[in-house]
Amino acid sequence: AGQLLDRMLAAIGLAEAHVHITNTVYWRPPGNRTPTPQETLACWPFLERQIALVGPRVILTLGGPATKSILGVADGIMKVRGSWREYRCGDRVIPVMATLHPAYLLRTPVAKRLAWRDLRAVKARLGV
C-alpha cells in the first residue's frame, strides 16, 4: 500500500520530499482493525498540532477513518470522496480531498479510476 501511495503521488508530480504523510492514530490497532473513536480522540490534539505546524496547502485523506477524523463527518468514504471540503486550522482554511486508501485499491483495482479522479483534482488545486 505504501508503494502504491508513492506511485500515486508521483503520477501527479509530487515527490516524497514535497508531502507530509501521517496517520490519525499513531499506532497500529491490534489485528490492523479500524481505530476506535476513543483511539482517534486520544491522538486528535497531536494530529491537530501537527497539521498546524506543517501548514499544508492541501490535505488528502486516505480512506474512511482518516476522512471521518479530519472532516468530522459520519458519511462513508464513497459518499465523501471526490469533492472538496475544508479543514479549519486557526485562521487558515485548508482544502481537503478525500480518496480511497491504497490498501483498498490493491483489493479493488477497479476503484483506481475513482482515486485517479481525486488525485487529478489535487494536482489541479496545487498547480503541479
Side-chain angles (χ1 to χ4, degrees), residues 25 27-36 39:
V25 172
W27 62 85
R28 186 177 301 264
N32 203 26
R33 63 167 166 69
T34 301
T36 65
E39 290 167 333

Side-chain angles (χ1 to χ4, degrees), residues 8-126:
M8 291 165 65
L9 295 172
I12 61 167
L14 293 176
E16 200 170 328
H18 298 108
V19 299
H20 180 81
I21 299 171
T22 190
N23 292 302
T24 55
V25 172
Y26 300 107
W27 62 85
R28 186 177 301 264
N32 203 26
R33 63 167 166 69
T34 301
T36 65
Q38 293 82 6
E39 290 167 333
T40 302
L41 189 60
C43 294
W44 180 250
F46 302 100
L47 179 60
E48 194 173 39
R49 181 69 176 140
Q50 189 176 29
I51 292 169
L53 290 171
V54 170
R57 291 174 41 208
V58 167
I59 295 175
L60 176 66
T61 62
L62 304 174
T67 300
K68 289 177 181 183
S69 178
I70 295 292
L71 295 176
V73 296
D75 291 331
I77 186 65
M78 290 301 198
K79 253 189 182 175
V80 179
R81 62 141 298 275
S83 62
W84 287 104
R85 307 289 178 107
E86 294 180 343
Y87 173 80
R88 297 197 177 278
C89 182
D91 60 346
R92 289 189 62 217
V93 176
I94 304 169
V96 178
M97 174 61 69
T99 195
L100 304 169
H101 194 284
Y104 175 79
L105 298 174
L106 289 171
R107 293 189 308 270
T108 316
V110 71
K112 288 180 180 179
R113 65 185 170 79
L114 299 174
W116 180 237
R117 286 184 205 154
D118 302 339
L119 289 170
R120 286 188 319 198
V122 169
K123 178 180 176 137
R125 178 65 68 109
L126 290 172

